[in-house]
Amino acid sequence: MNTRKVIAVILSLIVLFSIRLSSNSLATSYYVSSSEGTDSAGGEILHPFQTISKVNSLALLPGDEVLFKCGDTWNGEMLIIRESGSSDQAILFGSYPTKDCVNRPVFSGSLPIDDWSIYSGNIYEAHLASGNNEGLFNYGINQLFRNGIRLAMGRWPNIESGNPGYSFVDAQPESNKLTDTELPLLDWTGGVMHIMGMRWYFLNRIITATEGKSLSLNQDVTCWNGCDDNGGWGYFINNNLNTLDKDGEWHYDEVTKKVYLYSTSGVPLDIEGSVLLKNDARYWGIITLGEDYNDPIAHVSIDNFEIINGFRNAISTPTNYAGTELHDVVIRNCLIRNMDETGIKLSSWVYSATDGRPDGWRGGYDLVVANNDIRNVNHYGIDLFSRDSEFSDNRLEQVGIIDNANKSGIGCGYTGEGGQCTEAGDGIRIKIDKPADSGNYNQIQGNHLFQIGYNGIDVFGHNNNLLQNVIREACSTKADCGAIRTFGRDSLASSSAYDITLDQNIIVEPLGNVDAANNRYNQENFAFGLYVDNYSRNVVASNNTLIRVPSTGLLYQRSSGVITGNTLYDCSRNYGRSHVSLSSDVTSITSFSQNTLYGIGAGAKNLSIENNATLMASDFNHFFHPFLQQLISVEGAKTFAQWQTYSGMDSNSTTNWFTLSPGELPISEIFVNDSESPKTYQLKGSYVDLDQNLVQAPLILAPYTSKILLYQGPDLTHCIAALRLLTGISGIHPSLTMIHHDLDSDGKYGLADVVGMLQQLSEH
């Protein structure tokens, strides 16, 4: 046999084998079932593993997949993902027997609590260090559940009290001591005070001593103008046994390791507690993306899990990565519920960087976070330092809601000050450290947010695109915030927040909660729709819909950009502000065009400009306010005609041709499509648009659009038919017939207008 041929064949086989190894063509699927598996098995579909601990011990290779059985539940364990896939073969963590099952595999951070006995009256206690509970709760708990429903930690005052859930400071004799004459004479030591220091932040302080009506705290408390200013700032106390006075309230005593529950139905049943799996202050998730102080992971996909009842975060990066950051990670189709901190946290300090970028906080790149459903999380919904990533079609609900607050409140620790605590309660926070390395070039699209404690989406970095997000009831816990906020720093020229696009977002009724504010700041539900603030440069706000925003609908403050194609309806109804406000001398708007501003509130201006030089060009807009003639404010209140003369702009813009008196019902109605498919409205009655064109049913709206129509009463086709019959003019087109014939200027085309038109025609 030819030796050279033998050698050639052997070399070919070696090369082929090497290629197969490098591509891991023999990728392994591991199966895990808590109900049917055992860790001594081989992990095959018929012989699955049982625990997450076993999965954590696997040495996974590119192309491998770890599949958890649909419908099974794993309690009190964390999945730590340590290995990476490759660019062509990701590692998948998913479900079986189908990868999109509705009964997702459940990772739960809670365990059952047994051995309840009467403590006093309706209060029951369970010792976590003895009996059936021994060894399960070594570091305690921070959430409690009954029949799967999260229970409220006991608090004073109760939420049902006169000013919902707050008492108010009467005196501040020392920087860390507060007095309240309404405080019950009980021992509050060990409890936690959660106090609003200004409309935009709460502070958390541990009560170290009780002296009658005064409380000493672990740290100074800094409130705006003093905690006792102008009626006092509001607070509540939890994490104290004295707060338990209604069914379902609970308290955990860290010293005695006992949990107490107020139960009006006898001995508590089906109770679980969120296990503190770690006793440090590191970033942990029920799924943790890498190991602290180690290399980051890459090319990993997490798909179709239900993650509930976590002591910290649902999915999280560790606090530190060595050398660089995670990348090419997909998180999708996950259901997240009841986290004491954050739904998805993408925030790690990269040290000893080897990737040409400096050390600092980062959140990964080339990430996809899509179609996740995140509800009832206390600090943030999605908290990220990421860049070049996509966050799309996620649903976030009840984020940072004060009624759900446990010991940690809505975030910021027990020593944090006002500036540090401002952003707690954000729905999606796009944070930065080094502007070039974090919080930039992200696509935030198609997300639905509802009942968010602070800003719906909070943007600090550059080149972020926010498109087709729907945000309802932002600012549910705090105020001076927006459904969407951008926030720069230093100056327009050097700001880190620039080249941001806000397009086709739909914003409905941010609340601006001031229940805990003092008398100086509780007079107005202070919230904005689009809040472009503090040196945000070149922010383009286009084609957005803003409805019933309590303060200014769209505010540019010390910021610049373009405002075009937006619809604002019934903003600032009660507070005499504006639908659009351009504030401060440095604000610069190069173009204001094709916007529709429709006011209803008696004092709500359409447009307010602090300095006319702020606005460089304005035209093709609708300025409508049937209840207010002077609807523009610049160097005093002005009518639309006065504004045109004063500014030399808006020659092609229009205003309402009719007026309404105070007390009359508005005839306007806004129709909205907040979905990704066309939406059809079957109009009941007759409507015209703001250009006085008759709108024929059905009304079809494109995705993420809106339209304001004026109700005319019964269907006008009958009036038009009568007009044709009586005049003998059969060629009259309905839309042309009605234009400019609201003869009695009430905004409606009714029978009186038809009669008037007949009279005009007869004269000709």
Side-chain angles (χ1 to χ4, degrees):
M1 188 175 187
N2 191 310
T3 304
R4 291 184 179 179
K5 288 185 178 181
V6 172
I7 294 173
V9 169
I10 293 172
L11 290 174
S12 298
L13 290 172
I14 292 173
V15 170
L16 179 61
F17 184 67
S18 298
I19 292 173
R20 292 189 65 178
L21 284 179
S22 65
S23 64
N24 193 24
S25 59
L26 300 176
T28 303
S29 294
Y30 298 98
Y31 297 86
V32 192
S33 171
S34 63
S35 62
E36 298 176 350
T38 174
D39 285 350
S40 61
E44 302 88 0
I45 191 168
L46 297 179
H47 304 93
F49 297 133
Q50 184 178 44
T51 68
I52 291 175
S53 176
K54 177 64 177 181
V55 174
N56 289 338
S57 70
L58 298 176
L60 300 174
L61 297 172
D64 286 353
E65 54 183 15
V66 183
L67 305 177
F68 294 80
K69 187 178 180 182
C70 300
D72 278 7
T73 298
W74 289 260
N75 293 88
E77 293 187 88
M78 290 190 296
L79 174 64
I80 312 297
I81 301 175
R82 297 180 173 87
E83 287 84 18
S84 295
S86 62
S87 59
D88 59 343
Q89 288 191 307
I91 294 175
L92 169 66
F93 293 84
S95 62
Y96 83 95
T98 62
K99 295 187 177 181
D100 58 353
C101 56
V102 176
N103 58 333
R104 297 172 173 87
V106 178
F107 292 176
S108 174
S110 61
L111 287 172
I113 297 176
D114 295 325
D115 300 335
W116 292 91
S117 60
I118 291 178
Y119 169 73
S120 175
N122 287 323
I123 300 177
Y124 292 77
E125 66 177 1
H127 199 304
L128 298 188
S130 66
N132 292 328
N133 304 317
E134 186 174 4
L136 301 178
F137 304 93
N138 292 331
Y139 303 129
I141 64 171
N142 62 2
Q143 298 189 98
L144 202 69
F145 305 88
R146 181 169 58 192
N147 297 320
I149 306 299
R150 182 162 65 175
L151 298 175
M153 180 174 272
R155 61 181 282 169
W156 180 86
N158 287 327
I159 293 172
E160 300 82 15
S161 65
N163 194 75
Y166 298 100
S167 192
F168 293 83
V169 175
D170 292 312
Q172 188 172 11
E174 300 174 26
S175 58
N176 69 331
K177 190 173 187 178
L178 303 177
T179 300
D180 176 12
T181 58
E182 300 296 321
L183 184 71
L185 291 172
L186 299 167
D187 185 4
W188 299 102
T189 304
V192 177
M193 172 185 284
H194 306 275
I195 181 169
M196 178 172 273
M198 185 46 175
R199 287 180 293 202
W200 57 81
Y201 68 85
F202 275 88
L203 303 177
N204 310 310
R205 294 293 185 263
I206 297 172
I207 300 169
T208 57
T210 305
E211 303 172 37
K213 301 283 187 176
S214 296
L215 301 173
S216 296
L217 307 169
N218 68 308
Q219 178 89 4
D220 293 350
V221 184
T222 305
C223 304
W224 212 257
N225 297 323
C227 294
D228 55 353
D229 176 63
N230 219 310
W233 289 93
Y235 74 95
F236 68 93
I237 296 171
N238 66 12
N239 197 55
N240 187 285
L241 184 59
N242 290 314
T243 62
L244 305 191
D245 61 1
K246 65 177 186 178
D247 186 61
E249 290 190 328
W250 66 279
H251 164 64
Y252 173 67
D253 189 318
E254 298 174 11
V255 176
T256 65
K257 297 187 180 300
K258 290 183 177 182
V259 58
Y260 299 87
L261 174 61
Y262 196 101
S263 172
T264 58
S265 57
V267 178
L269 299 173
D270 297 316
I271 304 298
E272 292 191 0
S274 289
V275 185
L276 297 180
L277 296 170
K278 300 288 182 178
N279 67 342
D280 53 30
R282 317 299 292 173
Y283 299 162
W284 293 102
I286 292 182
I287 299 178
T288 302
L289 307 175
E291 195 166 12
D292 212 4
Y293 295 106
N294 280 270
D295 293 338
I297 64 170
H299 302 291
V300 170
S301 182
I302 300 163
D303 193 351
N304 204 48
F305 290 96
E306 183 173 347
I307 308 169
I308 62 173
N309 306 353
F311 78 108
R312 207 158 289 175
N313 311 308
I315 300 174
S316 180
T317 57
T319 308
N320 294 277
Y321 280 136
T324 184
E325 59 196 302
L326 85 165
H327 62 89
D328 294 283
V329 171
V330 176
I331 303 168
R332 62 187 172 201
N333 303 322
C334 291
L335 207 65
I336 293 172
R337 299 286 187 272
N338 304 326
M339 296 297 125
D340 192 55
E341 294 190 7
T342 298
I344 298 175
K345 189 174 186 68
L346 302 168
S347 171
S348 296
W349 179 267
V350 175
Y351 68 95
S352 301
T354 58
D355 57 2
R357 296 175 182 268
D359 292 2
W361 289 106
R362 304 201 219 155
Y365 61 91
D366 290 341
L367 311 179
V368 175
V369 178
N371 201 38
N372 301 288
D373 191 321
I374 301 171
R375 304 188 188 193
N376 300 318
V377 297
N378 287 350
H379 294 185
Y380 298 92
I382 302 176
D383 189 21
L384 62 105
F385 280 79
S386 309
R387 56 188 171 88
D388 296 291
S389 296
E390 173 192 334
F391 299 82
S392 62
D393 300 312
N394 301 289
R395 303 188 71 88
L396 294 88
E397 184 173 330
Q398 289 226 322
V399 176
I401 301 301
I402 205 71
D403 296 1
N404 297 333
N406 295 313
K407 179 183 176 182
S408 67
I410 61 170
C412 203
Y414 304 102
T415 60
E417 295 295 341
Q420 300 167 298
C421 301
T422 298
E423 297 139 32
D426 277 348
I428 300 175
R429 181 172 73 159
I430 306 170
K431 192 69 172 170
I432 64 166
D433 182 14
K434 310 294 191 302
D437 307 304
S438 55
N440 59 59
Y441 289 98
N442 295 297
Q443 180 85 355
I444 316 295
Q445 181 171 356
N447 302 287
H448 284 239
L449 296 89
F450 176 62
Q451 292 184 345
I452 307 300
Y454 195 47
N455 300 291
I457 305 176
D458 209 356
V459 184
F460 294 87
H462 62 84
N463 291 98
N464 289 292
N465 183 21
L466 280 64
L467 173 67
Q468 298 176 344
N469 301 286
V470 179
I471 307 171
R472 300 174 184 271
E473 295 186 21
C475 306
S476 288
T477 295
K478 301 189 288 183
D480 199 349
C481 47
I484 296 175
R485 181 179 74 160
T486 69
F487 197 86
R489 62 190 186 194
D490 302 330
S491 70
L492 278 176
S494 62
S495 178
S496 56
Y498 60 86
D499 294 348
I500 298 167
T501 299
L502 313 175
D503 186 49
Q504 290 184 278
N505 301 286
I506 293 178
I507 293 164
V508 182
E509 293 187 277
L511 300 183
N513 191 325
V514 291
D515 287 345
N518 69 9
N519 292 334
R520 186 191 306 269
Y521 293 103
N522 67 5
Q523 303 303 307
E524 176 182 353
N525 293 107
F526 200 57
F528 307 95
L530 299 180
Y531 192 178
V532 183
D533 194 19
N534 200 50
Y535 307 113
S536 297
R537 186 175 80 246
N538 192 29
V539 178
V540 177
S542 57
N543 307 308
N544 302 287
T545 296
L546 297 88
I547 302 172
R548 290 185 289 276
V549 178
S551 295
T552 300
L554 198 166
L555 172 64
Y556 274 67
Q557 184 166 259
R558 296 187 297 276
S559 299
S560 67
V562 171
I563 304 173
T564 181
N566 303 285
T567 297
L568 292 90
Y569 181 76
D570 192 17
C571 298
S572 193
R573 169 178 281 197
N574 299 319
Y575 304 114
R577 294 182 181 271
S578 295
H579 286 69
V580 175
S581 179
L582 311 179
S583 177
S584 91
D585 289 344
V586 301
T587 294
S588 175
I589 303 301
T590 56
S591 178
F592 185 85
S593 65
Q594 298 180 318
N595 301 289
T596 296
L597 316 178
Y598 196 107
I600 293 177
K605 300 286 193 296
N606 276 181
L607 177 63
S608 178
I609 305 174
E610 193 168 306
N611 183 333
N612 190 41
T614 293
L615 183 58
M616 299 180 185
S618 180
D619 208 357
F620 297 100
N621 301 294
H622 290 99
F623 294 94
F624 271 62
H625 200 318
F627 295 95
L628 184 68
Q629 288 188 329
Q630 295 180 315
L631 44 68
I632 296 175
S633 177
V634 53
E635 295 187 2
K638 290 176 171 55
T639 65
F640 176 66
Q642 289 170 336
W643 159 251
Q644 287 178 309
T645 301
Y646 170 85
S647 66
M649 295 187 282
D650 281 303
S651 60
N652 294 295
S653 297
T654 59
T655 191
N656 47 286
W657 69 90
F658 63 95
T659 60
L660 297 173
S661 301
E664 287 191 79
L665 293 176
I667 64 172
S668 56
E669 187 174 350
I670 186 165
F671 298 84
V672 181
N673 182 4
D674 62 2
S675 71
E676 60 185 11
S677 302
K679 184 173 184 178
T680 299
Y681 284 95
Q682 297 296 338
L683 301 176
K684 297 180 179 180
S686 188
Y687 291 83
V688 296
D689 64 20
L690 300 188
D691 294 318
Q692 305 185 59
N693 297 309
L694 185 66
V695 178
Q696 300 283 358
L699 173 66
I700 301 175
L701 293 179
Y704 302 102
T705 63
S706 63
K707 194 172 186 66
I708 299 172
L709 300 180
L710 304 176
Y711 179 68
Q712 305 299 293
D715 194 333
L716 280 179
T717 55
H718 302 296
C719 296
I720 294 168
L723 182 62
R724 288 170 170 167
L725 179 64
L726 292 173
T727 62
I729 305 174
S730 61
I732 298 176
H733 189 277
S735 63
L736 295 177
T737 301
M738 308 313 294
I739 288 179
H740 307 308
H741 287 87
D742 178 17
L743 300 181
D744 54 3
S745 298
D746 66 349
K748 297 182 180 181
Y749 299 111
L751 195 55
D753 300 306
V754 172
V755 172
M757 292 166 65
L758 287 172
Q759 291 174 344
Q760 290 182 1
L761 287 169
S762 66
E763 294 171 0
H764 294 281

